[in-house]
Amino acid sequence: MSNIKLIIEERAADIGKFLVGRLLPFRQKRMIGPFIFIDHMGPVKLNEREQMDIRPHPHIGLSTLTFLFEGSIMHRDTLGTEVEIKPGAVNWMTAGKGIVHSERTPDYLRHEDKVLHGLQIWVALPKHLEQMDPEFFHFEADQLPAWTVEGIEFKLVAGEAFGHRSPVPVYSRLYMLEIKSKEKRVLSIGEHLFGESGLYILEGGIESEGNHFGPKQILVAKDSALCEFTIQANSTVYIFGGEAFPEERFIDWNFVSSSKELIEEAKVKWIAQKFDKIKGDEEEFVPYPVFKK
């Protein structure tokens, strides 16, 4: 019997100047463990007249995880953070009771051709921490645990797995794991995982019980303890998941919470422009979207 509970295909989503491949939420699966939102961004080729300019916008009740494969993004937020994220590094921003950030092409790249490619991920906070003070952390690629077993390269982006722990300060039991292989290999890793588990194929493919799966798909496991598959040569996959929360989570635009009332308060506050401003990036903002009925 197959251990694959659900196959989620990447769907195009318009986030302004970009089309991204939306993976979560999905109508049949709103969350995988504490992971509530995953966008595959790019690869997008931009010329000297095209920039990434995601204007200041708010979040509550979640942590964002930005992980790039190519390109560069300048992150600014209302904590005073100004940091450039490059491929392999991790930006981890915890919104808690509220934060505003912007994501733009760095100044030194705005007059040349460039490529942008990566994952934008939201991780919901436990109920008792949804109103915590906001935080921001940045970790370079060489700060993340990495190891090789029989030619297979592992990197722990966030959380805990295989006896390793990422320095990213997560607030629930979770894992996000990068696996790369230049050769075809059988992987049996279920004993190292827990909770709900999803597998995202970035490049290459995997085989499971006679079925082949290629890029731009998330496979959701029925039981993470039974996670076994064959990874094809020259493949890169990401496995993520963890323990699910007992309460439902609601999403309204960029706001996540177990409380609809808290989301409504944040919405009213943003429309009234009562969130803090980003120093040096105060002139623009993303308005709350008006959804057509």
Side-chain angles (χ1 to χ4, degrees):
M1 184 176 177
S2 175
N3 186 43
I4 297 173
K5 179 180 180 181
L6 180 67
I7 302 168
I8 302 176
E9 301 281 351
E10 197 168 294
R11 290 124 29 234
D14 189 344
I15 62 167
K17 292 184 178 181
F18 290 90
L19 279 177
V20 299
R22 182 140 302 160
L23 293 153
L24 280 180
F26 185 65
R27 63 182 179 275
Q28 292 172 261
K29 187 64 177 171
R30 306 303 295 179
M31 298 175 68
I32 299 175
F35 290 80
I36 194 167
F37 180 96
I38 301 177
D39 269 354
H40 176 208
M41 175 178 56
V44 179
K45 294 182 179 180
L46 303 171
N47 62 37
E48 70 277 6
R49 298 178 303 278
E50 297 172 317
Q51 319 297 337
M52 178 184 190
D53 278 311
I54 299 179
R55 296 167 291 163
H57 58 281
H59 291 287
I60 68 165
L62 55 81
S63 297
T64 64
L65 191 162
T66 304
F67 190 77
L68 295 182
F69 310 128
E70 295 179 86
S72 177
I73 296 173
M74 181 61 70
H75 165 101
R76 295 181 178 89
D77 63 40
T78 43
L79 295 174
T81 310
E82 184 171 339
V83 64
E84 180 183 0
I85 183 169
K86 295 183 178 182
V90 172
N91 269 8
W92 177 262
M93 182 185 77
T94 297
K97 62 186 178 183
I99 197 168
V100 178
H101 74 134
S102 64
E103 297 162 293
R104 300 182 184 271
T105 299
D107 289 343
Y108 72 93
L109 293 175
R110 297 180 82 88
H111 302 290
E112 58 186 70
D113 295 346
K114 55 256 175 197
V115 176
L116 193 60
H117 188 199
L119 292 174
Q120 293 274 26
I121 295 170
W122 296 357
V123 179
L125 286 168
K127 184 176 180 178
H128 70 284
L129 292 175
E130 287 182 327
Q131 289 286 285
M132 67 179 284
D133 289 336
E135 297 177 335
F136 178 87
F137 295 91
H138 175 89
F139 297 92
E140 298 294 349
D142 60 6
Q143 294 178 271
L144 304 178
W147 64 98
T148 302
V149 179
E150 297 181 353
I152 302 172
E153 298 176 14
F154 295 85
K155 178 180 289 186
L156 186 60
V157 179
E160 56 185 289
F162 290 83
H164 296 274
R165 183 183 293 273
S166 167
V168 176
V170 302
Y171 289 101
S172 58
R173 289 199 72 214
L174 61 84
Y175 46 85
M176 178 176 169
L177 187 69
E178 177 188 84
I179 302 176
K180 293 187 175 188
S181 183
K182 294 180 180 179
E183 298 181 4
K184 186 175 181 178
R185 288 280 192 273
V186 176
L187 282 172
S188 181
I189 60 176
E191 64 181 295
H192 302 285
L193 306 178
F194 52 88
E196 298 182 326
S197 186
L199 185 152
Y200 175 60
I201 305 167
L202 177 68
E203 56 187 356
I206 72 160
E207 291 178 11
S208 177
E209 294 157 323
N211 300 302
H212 180 268
F213 303 96
K216 300 186 177 182
Q217 291 181 319
I218 282 183
L219 310 181
V220 182
K222 291 178 179 176
D223 184 349
S224 64
L226 301 176
C227 196
E228 181 175 309
F229 58 91
T230 299
I231 188 169
Q232 297 295 316
N234 302 311
S235 294
T236 301
V237 304
Y238 290 86
I239 296 179
F240 59 92
E243 294 181 352
F245 296 131
E247 319 89 3
E248 183 179 2
R249 290 298 183 276
F250 304 102
I251 300 181
D252 185 325
W253 190 39
N254 296 319
F255 306 130
V256 169
S257 181
S258 60
S259 166
K260 291 183 177 180
E261 290 73 21
L262 284 175
I263 288 177
E264 184 62 24
E265 289 175 11
K267 170 185 169 182
V268 170
K269 184 178 177 181
W270 181 250
I271 291 173
Q273 280 297 287
K274 292 184 177 179
F275 274 78
D276 292 341
K277 304 289 185 181
I278 301 172
K279 186 177 180 180
D281 202 351
E282 305 98 337
E283 296 182 7
E284 298 182 302
F285 67 92
V286 179
Y288 180 83
V290 177
F291 298 103
K292 294 180 181 180
K293 294 184 178 180

